[in-house]
Amino acid sequence: MNAKANKNQVTSIEPAYYQAITEAIRKEAVQILKDETVVGVVGYLPGRRKGTASPALVTTVEEAEKLIFSPACVNNLSVYLTKAKKGVLKQGKVGIVAKGCDMRALAGLMTESQLQREDLFIIGVVCPGVYGFGVERTGTVTEANIARKCRECTVHMPEGADVAAGTHAELADLTPEEAEEMARIEAMPQAERWAFWKEHFSRCIRCMACRQVCPFCYCEQCLCDKNRPQAVESSPRPAGNMAWHLVRAMHLAGRCGGCAECERVCPMDIPLNLLNRRMAQELKELYDFEAGLTPVEKGPLNEYKENDDQSFIK
């Protein structure tokens, strides 16, 4: 199914919309497996519990006919190509189901030479939004249960995909909660803003779920795990927590695609996506650069130009 450009704003997204996407994904996945375009497709299968979905690599037509797309398909599947199913790329071209936010991660990974476009067949999803965390995951998608990141989504259309499933529909008049929260934090005096983040970071238990779920944390060994010499204290203490989150934010600056998976999996409800968005805002203001829109040869933080602003050097 090819995406249609017509924009349709509604007050709820009915299950039938997701079912239509499901049928389109299954049809395409079956076809590319049958004609051996790909060796497998990374997508979503129904989860064990009702209303849930689980990422999966399917390699047969029978499995492809069980693929789904529902509001519970929250995972960014690009991480499965660099971590969980990394070995599959050595076997041949791979299909992947990708929402618009996942497409940004794929573009970023191509920029960093972690993926090659010719190794992928991308089934893009014209995504109207997925469930937020901690909400009732049944029935229609509405303003009450849609994810915070989806409220301000600008990538409903999966640009750059081989095919796109779905027609453009999105909820109307959503309150941009993250933008409002960022504005509130920015308005704080510096000391109060510091205290805000210090309190959040103090609750971190260093489970590293944020790192594990991030498509851009693909290093075989993280600098923050080294202890000879130790760059960042590994135990969940205030100083080490602060260092970890600041190092991570800087590491993702100019790279994060805004999928907000780190915030979704954080068991301590630390608003990590706000930090990533703030760094992205800096890159936009300083370099007019947005990560992940398209693969680029180099981002602004890994190239040098003679006319670069050097006023920050004291």
Side-chain angles (χ1 to χ4, degrees), residues 212-242:
Q212 291 304 106
V213 80
C214 178
F216 293 102
C217 284
Y218 51 72
C219 296
E220 295 291 337
Q221 183 175 19
C222 178
L223 169 70
C224 296
D225 287 340
K226 290 188 175 181
N227 57 12
R228 292 183 179 179
Q230 186 177 54
V232 176
E233 186 181 1
S234 57
S235 58
R237 298 177 181 176
N241 288 356
M242 179 67 73

Side-chain angles (χ1 to χ4, degrees), residues 43-73:
Y44 304 94
L45 290 174
R48 293 183 179 181
R49 289 175 294 158
K50 184 180 180 181
T52 63
S54 298
L57 170 67
V58 301
T59 57
T60 67
V61 168
E62 291 74 22
E63 291 175 322
E65 290 173 339
K66 298 176 184 176
L67 289 171
I68 64 167
F69 187 77
S70 74
C73 295

Side-chain angles (χ1 to χ4, degrees), residues 193-211:
R193 193 161 62 242
W194 178 253
F196 172 87
W197 286 112
K198 191 175 178 180
E199 189 281 324
H200 276 298
F201 294 155
S202 71
R203 293 184 286 105
C204 177
I205 58 175
R206 305 296 287 280
C207 65
M208 298 300 182
C210 52
R211 183 176 68 183

Side-chain angles (χ1 to χ4, degrees), residues 78-118:
S78 67
V79 73
Y80 288 81
L81 298 178
T82 56
K83 293 182 180 176
K85 303 297 180 183
K86 188 175 182 179
V88 73
L89 286 169
K90 297 178 180 177
Q91 300 173 26
K93 194 169 185 174
V94 176
I96 183 168
V97 176
K99 306 182 292 291
C101 46
D102 306 342
M103 292 284 295
R104 297 186 70 163
L106 290 174
L109 290 170
M110 291 175 204
T111 294
E112 299 181 10
S113 301
Q114 298 302 308
L115 297 175
Q116 301 298 321
R117 181 63 181 88
E118 58 269 25

Side-chain angles (χ1 to χ4, degrees), residues 5-21:
N6 295 334
K7 186 175 179 178
N8 181 24
Q9 288 199 322
V10 295
T11 56
S12 65
I13 308 292
E14 299 296 327
Y17 180 88
Y18 294 89
Q19 185 58 38
I21 297 175

Side-chain angles (χ1 to χ4, degrees), residues 2 63-64 104 123-124 134 149 152 155 192 219 313:
N2 292 323
E63 291 175 322
R104 297 186 70 163
I123 304 174
K149 65 175 182 179
E152 300 167 62
V155 288
E192 188 176 341
C219 296
I313 301 175

Side-chain angles (χ1 to χ4, degrees), residues 268-286:
M268 303 310 293
D269 290 331
I270 300 173
L272 295 171
N273 200 44
L274 290 181
L275 195 59
N276 294 334
R277 283 189 57 158
R278 183 66 184 86
M279 299 304 292
Q281 184 179 324
E282 287 284 333
L283 268 291
K284 178 66 176 175
E285 292 172 357
L286 290 172

